[in-house]
Amino acid sequence: MTTKTEVAAKADFSAEMAEWIEAFDDVVAEEWENGAELLKALRQRAREAGVATPGEFRTPFRNTIPKHDEVPYPGDRKLEKRIEALIRWNAMAMVHGQNKKDPGIGGHISTYSSLATLQEVGYNHFFRAKYFAEDGSEQPGDFIYHQGHASPGVYARSYLLGRFDDDRLKNFRHELRDTPGLSSYPHPWLMPDFWNFPTVSMGIGPLNAIYQARFMRYLENRGLIKKTDRKIWAFLGDGETDEVDTLGAVSLGARERLDNLIFVVNCNLQRLDGPVRGNGRIIDELEGVFRGAGWNVIKVIWGADWDELFARDHSGLLQRRMEECVDGDFQTYKAKDGAYLRKHFFGRYPELLELVKDYTDDQLLHLHRGGHDPVKVYNAYKRAVEHKGGPTVVLAFTVKGYGLGSAQARNATHSEKKLTDDALTAFVKTFDIPIPQKSAEMGTPYRPPQDSPEMVYMQERRRELGGYLPMRTVPPSTFKAPELKFFKEWTGGSGGRAVSTTMGFVSILRGLLKDGEIGKLVVPIVPDEGRTFGLESVIRQVGIYAPEGQRYTPHDKDMLLFYREEQDGQILEEGITEAGSMASFTAAGTSYSTYRIPMIPFYMYYSMFGFQRIGDMVWAFADSRGKGFLMGGTAGRTTMLGEGLQHQDGHSHVLASTVPTCVSYDPAFVYELAVVVQNGMKRMYENAEDCFYYITMYNEDYAMPAMPEGVEEGILRGIYKFRGAGAVKDGIGEATVQLFGSGPILNEVLRAQEILAEKYQIAADVWSVTSYTELRREAIATERWNRLHPAEAEKKTYIEAALAGAKGPIIAASDYMKSLPDVLAPWLQADGRCRLVTLGTDGFGRSDNREHLRRHFEVNAESIAGATLSRLAREGKIKPKKAQAALAELGLDVEARDPART
Ligand SMILES: Cc1ncc(C[n+]2csc(CCOP(=O)(O)OP(=O)(O)O)c2C)c(N)n1
Ligand SMILES: [Mg+2]
């Protein structure tokens, strides 16, 4: 075999090096495995000799599973090929047909065409709809995170199975018609019986999948679900891996040995605009990243027809030629024809031209990539499923727009929505779809009779694997929320002791965790802020989840509140990752459906690093019909003192208000918080409402009053009168001013009430506003009803009804932006003028103490009293000069710069 020396010479090795290589080749020729052994021994020797041996994170550009290690395909390849062709047709026809009817409605045809085999092998041989535990009980099946914009393929499969009829398919992206439609992407909100996991905002699917795998282990380790072989499969695009969310948490997968997790990256080398890595190779890059993070990497590069070429190539040149190409080349080879491939790929070396001399150009063009070869894909999946000790990523080489003729592998392929009539005819011919030309041009769906061999086979495969997927089900609720009396420790007040709402909440949490019924369902989640919120006692009480337990002796073991990690620990201490924590919150908050257990997550975090940081994940959570409590801690731009601009949140409530299913509250007192938590559990888990809660909690200590009689409804609906004018000063008479306060700023409002009464003899009522957002939602719903029923008696909004008879201007103050109270302005009008004067914390935060911060943002008691006097002057109720003098008397700097702009 003189070719070895030739290889050495071509690679510019020195003569001595070539000799070494030859010796190595001899070892490999004798026994293939010995090559690896020799390398291992050499590495060991090199290390001993002090020669650096960096880890090898990238392997040659070839299949990880060599041909001789492959197992035969277990399915009927002919029938599966037929089924795949039918799905391809219907997926494409659905998008094409709709765009013909309704230009601009959109959709994608090229992504699924690259993904079809990857998905079909899964559906025919791997994706189980249920498992059975050792005790015979039925358990949930595999979880599949689909590539969102490949949904037409999933719909087409369901159509063939008879899960959708023609009308439904024809209503793809027409969701507002008389008959139900199909949502553009996976949206449980829109198709609650079908989709489980929203994915199409790129990066969210993979991140959620990792934490889902982790949460599955958490439930298993805590004995809440049975251990089974169920897997989480996440399909993602190669372009999608550029999202930090996609790769940002991969190390968790290996760290927690999540062998229930399988990523399949559809490496079609293209994203929306063009190549993902034109000048490099995305597969190599990802191999390095995943291997470095400790994942099992399986590359599926070439189909079986290449194996034959490799087998005949003794020169090693074919492999070398592969290594020379970058993704931009590979894309071009698929966009052009076989002659081009012969000339530019094989033509580089005469030996390679010789290798393919008996191949026609057409045969060359159709040499398959691994992701389009069911045998290669099957073998990869089998290995992935059997792999123990960590997650697996399958990097599958595919062609974007595979089989779409002139739309294949073009830079514009992603945005292709329609094919030309010629291309449609060609498609029908290539994939042998038995429909007439005219129907082909119209993109008519096609489904063979249910008793045809392919349909029977398809149904049988699913039956064998436990049923249809995707499928979302929700068991009937048997959950019983604790009554309000369960919370009496917290509705009774703090007995004069100064505590914060955060402390109150932690105490409620401990109470819930202790409860024999629901305690085990509670999932406390925290991103390295446990001590900030005073969770030490909870850590001691229920432990931190650690799949390996605690393999070290914590230094504080002798202390009462030591850092306790347990295999069945209950707290998810996530480390510094709000995105990861939100992913855990998502897994837990949807477990009432996915695992059929109504887990109740309480995710506590710095409110500043919530909605504004991971808002898109919250949106996906809502889409998932997620439930649970987001607890925004250290809330309020002036209550969160010292930390300054980046930490001080004065807008999370505004952001929360944008999420339709997010019910948000800004409680001032622990009893308000207790009422909200109780009601939240009842609504979400007992009444099975698909909503979730955002509650702000603060770190300012003050005495918590006992809950007054009859305020529950007001707390929940958003407003109630907390202290009437008469309670401040006897005989002051009926209030002529209304003061609104929320969170700790309610204390400032109460102080303002006193100042007004004592210094200026002005009687004011004080209202606690727990939720401007809920009040507005009710108001706009009522107003809408009134608008649509002009002939009926007008209904009053709750805010108007609550304030009935309450006179005078309304001064509202909170630790949030002014736009929050302002949303009620339309319903707070009198005599053609808005009654509302809003004080809030618009602008960037500052480092200082609360006194200075509140003065700066003009939400302290003096500013509230001043604003009241100023407004009364404008209304002609007091003399303007008197008001101006009062402002000076109250110490307000009327020429100070506007905090909203400084
Ligand atoms: C966060 C986000 N940004 C942008 C998009 C728009 N978008 C949809 S698909 C796509 C390209 C996807 O490329 P890739 O991940 O490689 O998937 P492929 O279609 O090639 O399989 C883009 C940019 C999106 N859906 N989500
Ligand atoms: Mg791609």
Side-chain angles (χ1 to χ4, degrees):
M1 291 217 294
T2 48
T3 46
K4 279 180 261 162
T5 330
E6 279 171 22
V7 171
K10 282 215 165 79
D12 299 331
F13 292 139
S14 66
E16 192 195 354
M17 198 68 90
E19 252 176 62
W20 278 100
I21 301 276
E22 255 183 77
F24 178 80
D25 281 358
D26 288 342
V27 172
V28 176
E30 204 172 289
E31 186 71 59
W32 191 77
E33 277 85 6
N34 289 351
E37 281 302 311
L38 176 58
L39 273 183
K40 213 163 118 191
L42 274 175
R43 272 180 170 275
Q44 172 71 21
R45 187 70 203 105
R47 254 180 263 132
E48 286 162 7
V51 178
T53 56
E56 191 182 33
F57 291 118
R58 293 181 183 190
T59 61
F61 195 64
R62 69 202 299 166
N63 292 342
T64 304
I65 304 173
K67 171 115 184 97
H68 59 262
D69 274 356
E70 283 173 7
V71 297
Y73 198 68
D76 183 327
R77 283 194 59 187
K78 212 164 138 236
L79 282 179
E80 289 188 21
K81 194 170 172 196
R82 178 91 198 112
I83 294 164
E84 189 180 301
L86 291 170
I87 298 177
R88 281 177 183 283
W89 167 255
N90 285 304
M92 196 273 294
M94 175 186 336
V95 179
H96 172 90
Q98 202 64 314
N99 280 276
K100 225 167 166 169
K101 248 194 315 193
D102 195 348
I105 200 73
H108 303 82
I109 57 179
S110 59
T111 300
Y112 180 69
S113 61
S114 64
L115 185 72
T117 305
L118 293 171
Q119 210 155 278
E120 277 308 287
V121 172
Y123 274 112
N124 283 322
H125 300 284
F126 291 93
F127 304 160
R128 302 194 64 87
K130 56 170 96 113
Y131 283 86
F132 292 96
E134 270 176 11
D135 63 2
S137 60
E138 190 186 311
Q139 301 293 319
D142 296 319
F143 294 2
I144 303 165
Y145 289 72
H146 290 90
Q147 248 189 298
H149 52 294
S151 298
V154 184
Y155 293 142
R157 169 163 251 282
S158 296
Y159 166 70
L160 289 180
L161 286 167
R163 298 180 68 193
F164 301 135
D165 58 16
D166 281 60
D167 284 348
R168 186 107 195 245
L169 203 71
K170 284 183 191 155
N171 266 342
F172 171 62
R173 290 189 173 221
H174 275 181
E175 299 184 271
L176 302 173
R177 314 291 162 115
D178 291 341
T179 48
L182 297 171
S183 60
S184 49
Y185 303 118
H187 294 302
W189 188 259
L190 303 171
M191 293 177 64
D193 302 330
F194 194 79
W195 295 115
N196 291 284
F197 310 112
T199 41
V200 84
S201 176
M202 309 245 130
I204 285 182
L207 177 64
N208 275 332
I210 293 172
Y211 280 84
Q212 182 71 263
R214 199 290 207 88
F215 192 69
M216 192 178 269
R217 291 283 183 253
Y218 168 88
L219 291 178
E220 287 172 0
N221 281 325
R222 289 194 50 216
L224 291 165
I225 57 170
K226 296 272 187 321
K227 287 196 165 107
T228 67
D229 286 334
R230 77 175 81 73
K231 304 278 182 227
I232 284 147
W233 294 80
F235 287 85
L236 43 143
D238 46 1
E240 184 172 8
T241 61
D242 282 339
E243 287 285 358
V244 290
D245 313 67
T246 305
L247 299 178
V250 290
S251 62
L252 173 73
R255 190 163 69 242
E256 302 219 353
R257 300 169 186 274
L258 301 175
D259 47 20
N260 54 348
L261 178 63
I262 299 166
F263 270 18
V264 179
V265 188
N266 176 12
C267 296
N268 56 25
L269 312 187
Q270 292 175 244
R271 41 186 166 77
L272 194 153
D273 286 340
V276 176
R277 294 287 182 275
N279 292 317
R281 280 199 301 266
I282 186 67
I283 292 184
D284 286 0
E285 185 179 322
L286 292 175
E287 178 181 31
V289 169
F290 280 99
R291 208 181 286 286
W295 286 50
N296 174 39
V297 179
I298 303 176
K299 294 194 295 184
V300 184
I301 312 260
W302 302 114
D305 32 19
W306 283 94
D307 284 335
E308 289 167 27
L309 288 174
F310 273 109
R312 289 199 282 114
D313 172 42
H314 301 293
S315 66
L317 280 173
L318 188 53
Q319 184 65 47
R320 182 162 174 197
R321 184 70 192 106
M322 301 272 180
E323 307 280 346
E324 286 168 357
C325 294
V326 290
D327 284 354
D329 295 320
F330 285 125
Q331 185 190 337
T332 302
Y333 297 146
K334 285 295 175 190
K336 304 243 178 205
D337 56 15
Y340 186 92
L341 186 69
R342 187 187 304 277
K343 180 163 176 222
H344 294 275
F345 179 77
F346 293 103
R348 172 70 62 94
Y349 301 111
E351 293 91 329
L352 294 187
L353 271 181
E354 178 68 15
L355 194 65
V356 294
K357 71 172 187 310
D358 296 332
Y359 284 60
T360 63
D361 285 349
D362 199 49
Q363 278 175 310
L364 289 187
L365 182 67
H366 289 103
L367 284 170
H368 283 90
R369 288 188 181 162
H372 298 292
D373 183 332
V375 180
K376 305 288 182 205
V377 174
Y378 177 84
N379 274 279
Y381 286 4
K382 185 167 182 298
R383 283 244 182 137
V385 165
E386 289 167 1
H387 181 72
K388 291 270 174 282
T392 293
V393 60
V394 175
L395 301 173
F397 195 18
T398 58
V399 182
K400 192 146 180 168
Y402 178 84
L404 298 184
S406 61
Q408 176 175 292
R410 308 276 153 159
N411 281 334
T413 291
H414 184 89
S415 310
E416 218 69 66
K417 323 264 174 236
K418 276 190 291 197
L419 293 185
T420 59
D421 288 352
D422 285 351
L424 282 165
T425 311
F427 189 103
V428 166
K429 195 157 155 266
T430 309
F431 293 106
D432 193 19
I433 312 295
I435 57 169
Q437 167 96 14
K438 255 283 93 1
S439 308
E441 286 169 16
M442 293 305 297
T444 309
Y446 172 72
R447 175 163 56 181
Q450 285 295 309
D451 59 358
S452 62
E454 55 267 47
M455 291 300 94
V456 170
Y457 179 87
M458 198 179 178
Q459 296 282 10
E460 176 49 30
R461 291 314 310 149
R462 287 318 309 163
R463 215 173 357 262
E464 178 78 16
L465 292 164
Y468 296 144
L469 284 174
M471 175 96 78
R472 183 177 176 278
T473 53
V474 179
S477 166
T478 53
F479 183 88
K480 203 79 201 86
E483 301 288 328
L484 193 57
K485 63 176 186 286
F486 174 92
F487 294 87
K488 63 177 186 298
E489 184 183 338
W490 304 287
T491 51
S494 62
R497 200 162 63 94
V499 296
S500 63
T501 46
T502 306
M503 283 164 75
F505 168 70
V506 172
S507 169
I508 291 174
L509 181 68
R510 294 190 60 194
L512 290 171
L513 285 163
K514 263 189 236 149
D515 183 77
E517 286 295 312
I518 58 170
K520 61 178 185 299
L521 301 176
V522 172
V523 185
I525 303 170
V526 69
D528 200 34
E529 295 292 349
R531 286 177 205 279
T532 310
F533 304 132
L535 284 182
E536 290 93 332
S537 55
V538 184
I539 293 175
R540 175 71 182 95
Q541 186 183 344
V542 293
I544 288 170
Y545 172 69
E548 295 184 288
Q550 197 153 28
R551 296 171 58 199
Y552 61 97
T553 307
H555 81 87
D556 49 4
K557 182 83 188 164
D558 301 336
M559 290 159 74
L560 183 64
L561 301 180
F562 73 98
Y563 196 79
R564 179 180 157 209
E565 297 189 79
E566 299 273 0
Q567 195 179 24
D568 62 352
Q570 198 159 346
I571 300 170
L572 289 173
E573 158 61 83
E574 303 289 7
I576 310 166
T577 166
E578 280 73 17
S581 306
M582 189 61 206
S584 279
F585 185 69
T586 304
T590 51
S591 70
Y592 70 94
S593 161
T594 48
Y595 301 100
R596 302 169 205 153
I597 309 177
M599 301 304 289
I600 310 172
F602 287 90
Y603 166 27
M604 294 151 272
Y605 59 92
Y606 250 109
S607 68
M608 191 67 163
F609 308 138
F611 283 85
Q612 81 166 6
R613 184 160 181 135
I614 43 91
D616 197 12
M617 294 188 73
V618 180
W619 192 252
F621 177 83
D623 183 350
S624 312
R625 298 172 173 261
K627 304 178 187 209
F629 294 91
L630 291 176
M631 304 299 302
T634 52
R637 195 156 275 154
T638 69
T639 308
M640 171 61 196
L641 73 170
E643 295 291 283
L645 186 153
Q646 194 95 44
H647 287 69
Q648 291 166 333
D649 162 37
H651 54 284
S652 65
H653 273 292
V654 179
L655 301 176
S657 74
T658 62
V659 184
T661 58
C662 180
V663 184
S664 50
Y665 288 99
D666 188 14
F669 303 125
V670 173
Y671 70 79
E672 293 178 352
L673 205 145
V675 167
V676 168
V677 168
Q678 190 275 340
N679 187 252
M681 285 201 275
K682 194 171 174 82
R683 280 179 63 182
M684 294 187 283
Y685 295 97
E686 191 174 313
N687 302 350
E689 268 187 61
D690 290 337
C691 61
F692 66 104
Y693 280 62
Y694 176 55
I695 305 172
T696 35
M697 44 186 202
Y698 295 81
N699 60 3
E700 182 172 1
D701 295 332
Y702 44 89
M704 294 292 159
M707 182 160 83
E709 281 286 314
V711 296
E712 280 161 58
E713 189 193 352
I715 292 173
L716 295 172
R717 300 194 68 162
I719 188 167
Y720 65 95
K721 193 190 285 187
F722 177 73
R723 189 165 78 183
V728 184
K729 197 170 176 187
D730 263 352
I732 190 165
E734 195 187 0
T736 54
V737 173
Q738 310 301 321
L739 303 181
F740 287 4
S742 310
I745 299 301
L746 184 61
N747 293 318
E748 300 291 335
V749 172
L750 290 167
R751 209 153 59 76
Q753 183 189 32
E754 288 163 15
I755 294 172
L756 287 168
E758 280 156 18
K759 282 202 166 150
Y760 304 101
Q761 285 72 50
I762 292 170
D765 288 335
V766 169
W767 303 74
S768 175
V769 182
T770 50
S771 180
Y772 285 102
T773 302
E774 285 304 291
L775 287 170
R776 177 173 168 85
R777 284 179 179 167
E778 190 282 335
I780 56 178
T782 302
E783 186 165 288
R784 175 175 178 272
W785 190 93
N786 288 336
R787 188 172 75 242
L788 297 173
H789 302 87
E792 314 231 11
E794 201 170 39
K795 291 186 178 175
K796 253 197 162 38
T797 61
Y798 185 81
I799 179 68
E800 287 166 314
L803 289 176
K807 295 200 180 64
I810 298 165
I811 318 305
S814 82
D815 221 355
Y816 279 83
M817 290 177 70
K818 298 183 176 87
S819 56
L820 199 62
D822 284 348
V823 297
L824 293 184
W827 301 280
L828 302 176
Q829 309 282 327
D831 308 324
R833 183 163 191 196
C834 184
R835 295 167 68 189
L836 187 65
V837 174
T838 310
L839 300 175
T841 56
D842 296 51
F844 287 120
R846 293 287 195 283
S847 303
D848 213 311
N849 63 21
R850 288 186 189 119
E851 189 191 332
H852 281 81
L853 286 168
R854 287 175 184 169
R855 188 165 62 206
H856 171 77
F857 282 106
E858 300 166 0
V859 292
N860 58 355
E862 289 74 15
S863 297
I864 297 165
T868 309
L869 293 163
S870 182
R871 172 65 187 237
L872 289 173
R874 293 275 175 212
E875 289 187 10
K877 306 266 171 54
I878 60 174
K879 293 217 168 69
K881 285 230 163 84
K882 186 176 167 196
Q884 193 74 56
L887 296 187
E889 200 174 284
L890 290 165
L892 304 180
D893 177 0
V894 296
E895 302 307 332
R897 289 212 292 162
D898 182 352
R901 294 160 186 269
T902 50

